[in-house]
Amino acid sequence: MTPWNQELPFYPQPRRAAGFNVSLLVVIVVFLTLAASFLLILPGIRGHSRWFWLVRVLLSLFIGAEIVAVHFSTEWSAGSVYTNTSYKAFSAARIEAQIGLHVGLEGINITLTGTPVQQLDETIDYNERFSWHLGQDYAEEYAEALEKGLPDPVLYLAEKFTPSSPCGLYRQYRLAGHYASATLWVAFCFWLLSNVLLAMSVPLYGGLALLTTGAFALFSVSAFASISSVPLCPLRLGSSKLTTHYGAAFWVTVAAGLLCLLLGVAVVSLHYARPRALHIFLNQGIKDRGSQRGRSPLVLNNQLREQFGASDLIISTNL
């Protein structure tokens, strides 16, 4: 029999686990490129201001990257359990495995890893993604999973999130992800605005933009926590119960929001308490800008002074 596309027809296709999130990878590459570009020009900055710019730029890039990256992460809510469970439908075979559930703003990832991986004469290592993002049909993806004959634990968890499930997890988490995503995009816009305002020597409004960025980042966390905290259907797999907790993306967003609030409060406070020191700290270029008041002498040299012995002409003007 001739293989087609390096696969034999009329035989089960090789299983392909869900790969790395391409959107998340693009975000990471873009912000790492920006950071690397800045590090290349950093040696050209002289004096102690080099370290100031290093901290300022890297902090800003961290906040921006975090706000964008968590949109595509599936670590907002996560849980895993080790259990002995059935493997496939219409089969009495059971396996020892670790089952994981990872919930994001745009969908869920379900993992199934055998302990050991090699059981029942096959490799048990699944990573399946189901999305409810705009333009994607969760019910259709679940139907395709049924046709592929995925293992029972994967189908069981995926079925709990279908729109027709009495658990209501689909509407609950989809709504939480919708509001959290919307507020995070607003936070990203204010993050861009804060960078522009601080670069334009307007520290007060830059600080207020940072405060708004932190507020909307924390609003997204509150939106996800308040909606997703509704009691869930029990998720029982074999003799064990799977419970979820807030994941890394949730806590990193909390940290970024608090960091923005802290930086915003510091900038606004210094603007009112020590405005000149704030301008110097933000490296606005001329340290004494706006500090020298009064009369500044402007001396004009007379070219005929040596010939006629005339004194220099001094004109005083206010700058």
Side-chain angles (χ1 to χ4, degrees), residues 260-273:
C260 288
L261 290 180
L262 179 63
L263 294 176
V265 168
V267 171
V268 173
S269 301
L270 284 175
H271 172 78
Y272 287 107

Side-chain angles (χ1 to χ4, degrees), residues 8-87:
L8 293 174
F10 311 115
Y11 284 85
Q13 299 288 323
R15 178 171 50 80
R16 296 181 176 86
F20 193 82
N21 192 312
V22 177
S23 301
L24 181 59
L25 179 61
V26 170
V27 172
I28 294 174
V29 169
V30 168
F31 279 92
L32 285 180
T33 302
L34 292 175
S37 301
F38 172 74
L39 292 177
L40 287 176
I41 65 173
L42 185 63
I45 303 176
R46 298 180 179 179
H48 297 291
S49 61
R50 175 186 304 171
W51 306 110
F52 162 74
W53 281 104
L54 175 65
V55 175
R56 177 177 175 178
V57 172
L58 292 185
L59 267 181
S60 180
L61 288 177
F62 163 75
I63 294 172
E66 187 278 333
I67 292 175
V68 179
V70 293
H71 282 87
F72 311 105
S73 173
T74 56
E75 293 296 326
W76 280 79
S77 181
S80 63
V81 64
Y82 288 92
T83 186
N84 180 285
T85 181
S86 60
Y87 182 48

Side-chain angles (χ1 to χ4, degrees), residues 135-186:
Q136 295 177 327
D137 190 346
Y138 185 96
E140 181 179 346
E141 293 185 7
Y142 175 69
E144 292 177 357
L146 289 173
E147 293 177 0
K148 289 191 296 184
L150 294 181
D152 279 355
V154 175
L155 295 176
Y156 170 79
L157 291 177
E159 188 274 333
K160 293 292 185 181
F161 286 85
T162 55
S164 58
S165 173
C167 290
L169 298 181
Y170 174 82
R171 181 177 180 274
Q172 178 179 333
Y173 276 100
R174 186 174 182 271
L175 197 61
H178 173 76
Y179 285 113
S181 179
T183 51
L184 279 174
W185 282 122
V186 176

Side-chain angles (χ1 to χ4, degrees), residues 122-143:
E122 63 174 289
T123 301
I124 302 175
D125 188 13
Y126 291 81
N127 182 2
E128 303 295 332
R129 180 175 177 82
F130 302 87
S131 302
W132 53 61
H133 189 54
L134 297 176
Q136 295 177 327
D137 190 346
Y138 185 96
E140 181 179 346
E141 293 185 7
Y142 175 69

Side-chain angles (χ1 to χ4, degrees), residues 97-109:
Q98 179 186 16
I99 304 169
L101 174 64
H102 308 269
V103 183
L105 303 184
E106 299 182 347
I108 63 173
N109 260 67

